[in-house]
Amino acid sequence: ERFKTERLHSKTMRKTFRSPASVNRELATLSGIFRLAIEYDELEANPCRKVQFLQEKNSRERYLTFEEEAKLIEQLQGCREHLRPIVICALYTGMRRGELLRLRWSKVDFEREIITVTETKTNRDRTVPMESIVNDVLRELKVWGSHPEDFVFPSHYTGSSFKDISRSFKTACKEAGIHDFRFHDHGIPSQAVLWTRALMWSRLKSCWATEASSPRCATCTRTIRANGRQSQS
């Protein structure tokens, strides 16, 4: 308990306080070390076993408005031009930063208008529907003869995937006058895509009764169910 309290109220190297989630991750790691020591007969009991995790309150519901989205896209020019397709796809798919940077052409299906996301945070593959704007942006990027295993968003300097785009994105947001918004691992869906998915939900509800008899409807339904739950009203 003392370790938990000290970590929560002490500052990091960046002079910021740790979140309850960060302390919980540290506590879980420490507990794992003790469990391993028990397996090797170095300890008899795990002192972390009865320590309660802190309550986490890290949820953020910050979405771009139509006006903010337009201002942000306007800033993605010149030296930040490479961010434009990445940000547009993030806004209109809700995919996480890492998922986009690792995306390969073999996972983009223009015929079915879906993106298959692998290596997810939950270790479970999922499909994401492509809005028309995403479809157009990706078609512009795809060069004839591109290998299926090529990255969709490669670095022009290394040819490999980008390692990080946080600094450029933060600067673009600052110049666009957008505050308290970051390109985090949870993705950055905009207000536009949330409204679009809500509309898709309402249309699909009338189709669910025929799901078993309609393969096309079944496929579409599974896609929206997997990716649009947060937009259900």
Side-chain angles (χ1 to χ4, degrees), residues 159-183:
S160 184
S161 62
F162 286 101
K163 299 303 179 183
D164 191 25
I165 56 175
S166 299
R167 183 175 298 180
S168 298
F169 182 78
K170 183 178 180 180
T171 302
C173 286
K174 182 178 180 180
E175 294 183 3
I178 299 173
H179 305 288
D180 190 31
F181 191 72
R182 55 185 177 176
F183 198 149

Side-chain angles (χ1 to χ4, degrees), residues 8-229:
L8 186 63
H9 294 95
S10 61
K11 291 186 177 181
T12 65
M13 295 178 61
R14 297 182 179 181
K15 307 301 181 183
T16 59
F17 287 102
R18 296 175 180 82
S19 67
S22 296
V23 176
N24 285 344
R25 301 297 86 76
E26 292 180 353
L27 187 61
T29 300
L30 186 60
S31 180
I33 293 173
F34 283 128
R35 285 199 303 271
L36 187 62
I38 292 174
E39 291 181 11
Y40 283 91
D41 297 323
E42 297 293 336
L43 286 177
E44 294 183 355
N46 185 346
C48 295
R49 186 171 61 85
K50 295 183 179 182
V51 178
Q52 297 293 321
F53 283 108
L54 294 167
Q55 184 176 0
E56 299 181 14
K57 298 180 180 179
N58 295 331
S59 60
R60 286 168 53 92
E61 293 187 3
R62 173 70 165 95
Y63 302 103
L64 289 184
T65 63
F66 294 109
E67 293 77 12
E68 288 176 326
E69 181 184 333
K71 291 179 180 179
L72 176 59
I73 298 299
E74 187 177 345
Q75 294 300 322
L76 304 181
Q77 303 179 37
C79 63
R80 292 192 290 270
E81 182 67 30
H82 64 286
L83 283 182
R84 179 185 288 263
I86 299 176
V87 170
I88 289 177
C89 288
L91 288 169
Y92 284 85
T93 64
M95 290 173 62
R96 298 182 175 93
R97 178 180 57 193
E99 294 171 347
L100 284 166
L101 299 185
R102 292 191 300 268
L103 183 63
R104 299 176 187 269
W105 286 116
S106 60
K107 305 303 179 183
V108 179
D109 190 334
F110 289 109
E111 294 297 324
R112 298 167 60 198
E113 296 186 333
I114 61 172
I115 297 173
T116 301
V117 185
T118 59
E119 299 181 53
T120 66
K121 191 173 182 178
T122 58
N123 294 320
R124 298 172 62 182
D125 295 353
R126 72 178 191 279
T127 55
V128 177
M130 282 196 287
E131 309 288 345
S132 59
I133 186 173
V134 175
N135 196 315
D136 293 342
V137 166
L138 293 183
R139 285 185 183 276
E140 289 179 6
L141 286 179
K142 188 170 177 59
V143 180
W144 184 86
S146 296
H147 193 277
E149 292 308 311
D150 287 346
F151 288 105
V152 174
F153 307 109
S155 167
H156 296 302
Y157 297 102
T158 66
S160 184
S161 62
F162 286 101
K163 299 303 179 183
D164 191 25
I165 56 175
S166 299
R167 183 175 298 180
S168 298
F169 182 78
K170 183 178 180 180
T171 302
C173 286
K174 182 178 180 180
E175 294 183 3
I178 299 173
H179 305 288
D180 190 31
F181 191 72
R182 55 185 177 176
F183 198 149
H184 203 259
D185 287 337
H186 299 296
I188 52 173
S190 68
Q191 191 178 67
V193 71
L194 293 179
W195 284 14
T196 300
R197 288 185 180 177
L199 177 61
M200 294 172 74
W201 264 102
S202 63
R203 290 179 177 177
L204 279 171
K205 285 178 180 178
S206 62
C207 298
W208 286 349
T210 60
E211 179 176 337
S213 59
S214 175
R216 181 178 179 81
C217 181
T219 300
C220 190
T221 299
R222 285 195 298 270
T223 299
I224 303 302
R225 277 180 173 170
N227 299 285
R229 293 183 188 280

